[in-house]
Amino acid sequence: MANDLKKKVDEQSVYPLFPLHKHTYTKTGGVADVFIKPKHIDDLQTVIYYAKEHALPLTILGNGSNVLVRDKGLRGIVIALEYFDQIHVDGTTITAGSGAKIIDVSRTALDHHLTGLEFACGIPGSVGGALVMNAGAYGGETSTVLRKATVLSYDGDLITLGEDDFHFGYRKSIFTEKDYIILEAVFELKPGRFEEIKEAMDTFTALRESKQPLEYPSCGSVFKRPTGYFAGKLIQDSGLQGTRIGGAEISKKHAGFIVNVDGASSTDYLNLIRYAQDRVREKFGVELETEVKIIGED
């Protein structure tokens, strides 16, 4: 498979038997049969057609920040769009490739005195990931500023989506429902004052650094916010902070995070997630739903 693909696309973008712990923020995960980082849309479409022709599983991984890949890895073809990272400003509009970091888009907005993306200054994911999960923080969400997106279907067709097409909700969107590959997003912002935008971003950054365990690898916030509760508070009140399974630990700094403190495996993470869910259910009768996307072979 890998040799076939190297003949069809830039061979330097094709990585056979790629260890995914090198790509994920948790520093865990098994091997991908073939890992591809296409540099052009033509190569991306070629890979999609090849996967369809040969009935191969196809996974779009993003930049690995909000995902947990099981230890047996991913079969078929895994695609990362990190080279689709262009950012272009036109007036109050920013167009960004899906592989661009949403943090970088927020900084570009600051540089151009545009307000609306301050909330994203500490979100570690890509633009594509922000759209998929309707990423948000500090009272802001992707849905409030996204106006348009260009996507590729798994049949290789280019499609433009508008505001009415996104079906945004809490940590969900049309992209959690349909197999679309996000290519770029168009954000509409407003003119602002540089000093005020920077002050807000500095405040959010300081809050993040003071509350989140950024010194360890993690997948970010593990659980969605249950209605009427905060996941981290429920876990903390269950006496679970510092609980460790293997090399994975419920952060002592923020109970909503599970950190890799000592060569954790994805199985360590999964076992600790289930343990936290069981304890919170027993103590409070609340079901914790994972926000992190869990993928890969059992």
Side-chain angles (χ1 to χ4, degrees), residues 2-291:
N3 288 334
D4 283 348
L5 285 164
K6 284 182 178 181
K7 296 173 185 175
K8 297 176 180 293
V9 300
D10 180 357
E11 65 175 335
Q12 293 184 343
S13 68
V14 180
Y15 302 82
L17 301 177
F18 182 82
L20 290 167
H21 72 263
K22 293 184 177 181
H23 185 75
T24 61
Y25 271 50
T26 60
K27 304 302 179 187
T28 69
V31 169
D33 288 345
V34 177
F35 185 71
I36 299 180
K37 297 192 287 186
K39 296 180 180 179
H40 310 287
I41 189 170
D42 290 346
D43 280 357
L44 176 58
Q45 287 177 306
T46 297
V47 172
I48 292 169
Y49 295 143
Y50 182 90
K52 185 176 181 180
E53 178 185 354
H54 295 274
L56 293 169
L58 186 65
T59 303
I60 308 301
L61 195 54
N63 73 345
S65 64
N66 190 42
V67 66
L68 187 63
V69 180
R70 294 185 178 94
D71 291 322
K72 290 189 177 179
L74 288 164
R75 305 289 68 82
I77 299 171
V78 180
I79 296 174
L81 298 177
E82 61 185 63
Y83 289 117
F84 288 64
D85 62 351
Q86 73 284 352
I87 301 173
H88 175 71
V89 181
D90 182 9
T92 57
T93 299
I94 296 182
T95 302
S98 63
K101 295 178 181 179
I102 192 67
I103 288 175
D104 290 340
V105 182
S106 73
R107 290 170 180 163
T108 299
L110 170 64
D111 290 341
H112 288 79
H113 303 193
L114 297 174
T115 182
L117 271 172
E118 291 89 332
F119 72 88
C121 68
I123 296 174
S126 64
V127 167
L131 268 61
V132 172
M133 296 300 292
N134 188 20
Y138 306 115
E141 283 187 327
T142 304
S143 60
T144 61
V145 290
L146 182 68
R147 295 298 174 260
K148 188 168 65 174
T150 303
V151 304
L152 203 59
S153 75
Y154 273 38
D155 291 323
D157 299 324
L158 276 171
I159 301 170
T160 299
L161 302 178
E163 291 181 66
D164 295 336
D165 301 317
F166 294 125
H167 303 176
F168 279 126
Y170 174 62
R171 301 299 175 261
K172 66 179 182 179
S173 67
I174 186 68
F175 307 110
T176 56
E177 303 166 4
K178 287 193 173 186
D179 290 330
Y180 286 143
I181 300 169
I182 302 165
L183 300 179
E184 68 176 23
V186 178
F187 301 99
E188 183 62 38
L189 306 178
K190 295 179 180 179
R193 296 183 67 244
F194 179 90
E195 295 79 8
E196 293 176 358
I197 298 167
K198 187 176 187 303
E199 182 180 2
M201 292 173 68
D202 288 345
T203 298
F204 295 155
T205 298
L207 285 170
R208 179 172 178 263
E209 290 176 348
S210 67
K211 293 183 177 181
Q212 297 183 14
L214 304 178
E215 64 272 26
Y216 293 110
S218 81
C219 58
S221 183
V222 175
F223 299 104
K224 294 180 181 179
R225 185 177 64 245
T227 302
Y229 299 92
F230 292 98
K233 185 70 163 57
L234 290 170
I235 295 167
Q236 179 180 331
D237 291 347
S238 297
L240 295 177
Q241 278 187 283
T243 299
R244 185 184 295 194
I245 293 180
E249 179 182 278
I250 295 176
S251 170
K252 300 181 183 75
K253 193 172 185 180
H254 190 310
F257 287 69
I258 293 177
V259 291
N260 185 347
V261 295
D262 187 18
S265 66
S266 289
T267 300
D268 294 339
Y269 264 85
L270 289 167
N271 288 338
L272 194 50
I273 286 170
R274 295 188 189 104
Y275 183 70
Q277 289 172 319
D278 290 344
R279 287 289 299 273
V280 168
R281 185 187 307 112
E282 291 168 5
K283 188 170 180 65
F284 297 103
V286 177
E287 294 288 341
L288 290 181
E289 182 182 351
T290 52
E291 178 173 320

